């Protein structure tokens, strides 16, 4: 399959840059001393989490809407989104005094719904439809056609891509001013709009920089498509990294990424969680899962980037505080610190004390203890969670658990049991 000529040019990005000057914040490009020391290189962060709507999505949404003919603007705009794109469209609708109907799944958290309403004010009507994004999108497209409005695609739109590409111009303008040359750029890929815009601009102005597209392991639709030389629709995806969990990339973004992205990398969702917690505790940066993807990728490139100069795009900071317990849990599982077992437990006084004395190490802790079923027999089925201080203690823990109950079930390696019981 030959690559089509990309329908977006560097001039489109430069025009978008001028168009966005009065509306979009030029976000900081900061050297991060913690990450630079950790990876023995020079790491810069492009802080799109500090954008007005706390993500880069405002750039593409504003550019795509602002170039519409007046006749189309007057009829109103629509979009389907459960997050950052919706906020960008809402912000733009208020700025340009346009009517916007924004479709969001019924399952969207109230925090995101409230943010969209806040940015859009009276210009925005929110419709909650369907349990999934696909259901929501279908309804949005039908509504758009029926009411003769304009649908604003979150990534598969030339003007959306050009708007996202203004990040690249800001990065290189500041780099030139400070006499910096980047060896690597890491950025998240969901539908591909962000990295398509960046790749378009970098391919002409900084072709020596290696561009690395970073996807969540459970939703690597661009990598799968590029490696198979055709657009692939993933049947099942892990939706945890919601800002980058896309089952099917756009045809426009596919062509651009295939032509210009040098490497693709997939990051385990648990590792993303560890990065979120690390960034918060060490750098006071609140990154959403998609926003932390670029930094998460550095671990796999540790040897390659030693002594190099790299830039990571922190694409968003809309992290719902209610997700922090889940983020911590996923991080502990990935780091092999927290472990769950199903055991046959003696139903007699002192059995728990025996377990603590014989099975737990000196620094281990019980985080969960629950009978799944009590019986009149001598034993009952228990689910127990154990948190280690060091992941290297796991083999010894397994030995002691097996000695206590040879028929135990280790839940961490059984996703179905984990989802049902934990």
């Amino acid at each position: 399959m030959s690559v089509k000529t990309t329908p977006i040019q560097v001039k489109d990005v430069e025009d978008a840059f001028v168009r966005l000057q009065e509306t979009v914040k030029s976000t900081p490009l900061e050297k991060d001393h913690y990450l630079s020391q950790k990876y023995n290189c020079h790491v810069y962060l492009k802080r799109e989490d500090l954008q007005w709507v706390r993500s880069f999505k405002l750039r593409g949404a504003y550019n795509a809407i602002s170039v519409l003919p007046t006749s189309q603007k007057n009829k109103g705009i629509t979009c389907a989104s459960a997050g950052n794109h919706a906020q960008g469209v809402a912000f733009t609708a208020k700025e340009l005094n346009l009517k916007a109907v924004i479709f969001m799944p019924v399952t969207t958290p109230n925090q995101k719904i409230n943010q969209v309403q806040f940015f859009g004010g009276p210009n925005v009507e929110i419709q909650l439809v369907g349990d999934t994004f696909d259901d929501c999108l279908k309804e949005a497209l039908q509504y758009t056609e029926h009411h003769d409005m304009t649908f604003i695609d979150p990534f598969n739109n030339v003007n959306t891509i050009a708007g996202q590409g203004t990040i690249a111009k800001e990065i290189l303008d500041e780099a030139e001013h400070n006499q910096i040359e980047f060896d690597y750029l890491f950025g998240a890929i969901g539908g591909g709009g962000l990295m398509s815009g960046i790749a378009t601009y970098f391919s002409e102005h900084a072709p020596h920089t290696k561009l690395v597209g970073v996807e969540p392991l459970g939703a690597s639709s661009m990598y799968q498509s590029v490696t198979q030389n055709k657009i692939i629709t993933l049947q099942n995806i892990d939706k945890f990294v919601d800002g980058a969990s896309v089952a099917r990339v756009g045809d426009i973004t596919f062509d651009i990424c295939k032509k210009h992205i040098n490497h693709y990398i997939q990051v385990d969702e648990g590792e993303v969680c560890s990065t979120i917690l690390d960034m918060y505790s060490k750098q006071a940066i609140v990154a959403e899962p998609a926003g932390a993807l670029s930094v998460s990728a550095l671990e796999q490139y540790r040897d390659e980037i030693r002594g190099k100069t790299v830039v990571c795009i922190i694409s968003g900071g809309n992290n719902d505080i209610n997700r922090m317990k889940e983020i911590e849990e996923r991080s502990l599982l990935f780091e092999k610190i927290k472990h769950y077992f199903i055991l046959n437990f003696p139903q007699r006084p002192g059995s728990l004390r025996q377990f603590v004395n014989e099975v737990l190490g000196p620094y281990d802790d019980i985080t969960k203890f629950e009978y799944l079923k009590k019986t009149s027999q001598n034993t009952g089925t228990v689910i127990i969670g154990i948190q280690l201080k060091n992941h290297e203690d796991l083999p010894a823990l397994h030995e002691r658990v097996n000695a206590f109950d040879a028929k135990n079930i280790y839940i961490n390696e059984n996703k179905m049991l984990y989802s049902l019981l934990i």
Side-chain angles (χ1 to χ4, degrees), residues 149-409:
M149 299 171 78
T150 300
F151 182 78
I152 307 301
D153 196 285
F155 50 83
N156 202 41
N157 177 305
V158 171
N159 293 310
T160 300
I161 294 169
Q164 320 302 26
T166 59
I167 295 174
K169 178 167 172 52
E170 287 183 12
I171 290 173
L172 292 180
D173 284 353
E174 188 159 349
E176 181 180 7
H177 177 74
N178 293 295
Q179 297 183 321
I180 303 169
E181 286 194 3
F182 290 110
D183 299 296
Y184 291 84
L185 180 145
F186 294 85
I189 291 183
L194 172 63
M195 287 302 287
S196 292
I198 287 171
T200 298
Y201 196 79
F202 265 72
S203 65
E204 181 169 315
H205 290 282
H208 59 279
T209 302
K210 292 182 180 179
L211 305 179
V212 183
V214 190
E215 295 177 284
L217 184 63
S220 56
S221 51
M222 184 65 79
Y223 171 74
Q224 299 293 337
S225 297
V226 170
T227 53
Q228 297 185 50
N229 218 21
K230 61 181 180 180
I231 297 178
I232 301 297
T233 301
L234 302 182
Q235 298 305 310
N236 296 292
I237 62 173
D238 186 328
K239 299 177 183 177
F240 176 75
V241 186
D242 50 346
S245 296
V246 174
R248 182 182 177 88
V249 301
D251 56 343
I252 301 173
T253 57
F254 169 72
D255 285 341
I256 297 173
C257 288
K258 183 183 175 186
K259 183 176 182 180
H260 293 300
I261 301 299
N262 301 102
H263 303 289
Y264 296 89
I265 187 172
Q266 298 79 50
V267 180
D268 188 282
E269 285 75 7
E271 186 169 6
V272 174
C273 292
S274 294
T275 301
I276 291 171
L277 297 174
D278 195 43
M279 291 175 69
Y280 179 74
S281 62
K282 300 292 198 311
Q283 302 143 289
I285 296 175
V286 179
E288 63 183 84
L293 270 175
S294 60
V295 175
S296 298
L298 296 180
E299 190 63 36
Q300 295 185 46
Y301 273 74
R302 177 183 287 274
D303 294 335
E304 193 171 332
I305 63 177
R306 183 177 292 114
K308 305 293 186 180
T309 302
V310 306
V311 56
C312 296
I313 300 171
I314 311 302
S315 58
N318 286 303
N319 201 354
D320 189 344
I321 192 67
N322 294 318
R323 301 183 74 186
M324 290 308 290
K325 288 188 70 66
E326 180 188 4
I327 289 171
E328 182 181 15
E329 174 81 1
R330 279 187 174 242
S331 172
L332 291 171
L333 291 173
F334 174 77
E335 301 289 345
K336 300 188 185 305
I337 296 296
K338 184 176 280 191
H339 305 274
Y340 294 96
F341 301 86
I342 295 177
L343 303 173
N344 290 308
F345 217 80
Q347 294 188 133
R348 55 173 170 73
S351 58
L352 179 56
R353 178 172 302 198
Q354 177 190 352
F355 180 87
V356 170
N357 291 336
E358 296 180 1
V359 177
L360 291 192
Y363 303 107
D364 300 344
D365 189 24
I366 294 177
T367 59
K368 184 180 182 69
F369 185 92
E370 180 182 349
Y371 273 99
L372 295 178
K373 185 178 182 181
K374 284 193 173 185
T375 69
S376 59
Q377 301 176 4
N378 293 330
T379 62
T381 306
V382 166
I383 179 170
I384 189 163
I386 301 173
Q387 186 164 321
L388 306 176
K389 184 176 183 180
N390 191 319
H391 69 89
E392 294 178 353
D393 296 335
L394 180 58
L397 175 66
H398 273 300
E399 287 183 12
R400 296 192 297 268
V401 170
N402 288 335
F404 185 85
D405 175 17
K407 296 182 179 180
N408 74 85
I409 299 174

Side-chain angles (χ1 to χ4, degrees), residues 78 127 258:
T78 66
Q127 293 204 16
K258 183 183 175 186

